[in-house]
Amino acid sequence: QVQLVESGGGLVQAGDSLRLSCAASGRTFSNYAMGWFRQAPGKEREFVASISRISDRRNYADSVKGRFTISRDNAKNTLYLQMNSLKPEDTAVYYCAAKTGFAATTANEYIYWGQGTQVTVSS
């Protein structure tokens, strides 16, 4: 089992930045590829970014490319999402997730999920 706890969400204005963190415990963090997903009210959960176990591969949704950066610190068992130039359409609950094997962009491939952290961007 891997336990994931997100933090860092909040209410910000358009153009601001936030950094989300996801603290992992349980199994060896570096054994898992990680992803960030988000879900806005009335919408399906969508892929945001993913990162491989040793950070050599990263993928981003087109909607966040150039604005968001995913990273991880395996020594600290922590995943990050740096979000810059935030837009109102980024408003959602953000979830981190873990999977074995290669990183993926589809939610149903991930095994472990955090509870989520709310990000609200006002215009």
Side-chain angles (χ1 to χ4, degrees), residues 2 11-12 20 23 25 29 34 39 47 58 62 72 74 81 86 97 104 106 115 119:
V2 175
L11 172 62
V12 297
L20 305 183
S25 60
F29 180 63
M34 300 296 296
Q39 188 166 18
F47 169 75
R58 308 176 198 212
D62 288 343
R72 65 190 296 165
N74 287 342
L81 185 68
L86 282 161
T106 51
Q115 293 299 307
V119 172

Side-chain angles (χ1 to χ4, degrees), residues 76 114 117:
K76 295 183 177 179
T117 185

Side-chain angles (χ1 to χ4, degrees), residues 7 18 21 32 39 43 61 65 67 77 79 81 89-90 92 101-102 104 113-114 116 122:
S7 62
L18 275 177
S21 298
Y32 296 87
Q39 188 166 18
K43 295 187 177 181
K65 275 181 185 175
R67 299 188 299 122
N77 296 335
L79 175 73
L81 185 68
E89 50 263 45
D90 295 318
F102 297 110
W113 291 83
S122 64

Side-chain angles (χ1 to χ4, degrees), residues 108-120:
N108 60 13
E109 294 192 51
Y110 286 80
I111 304 171
Y112 303 108
W113 291 83
Q115 293 299 307
T117 185
Q118 176 71 46
V119 172
T120 303

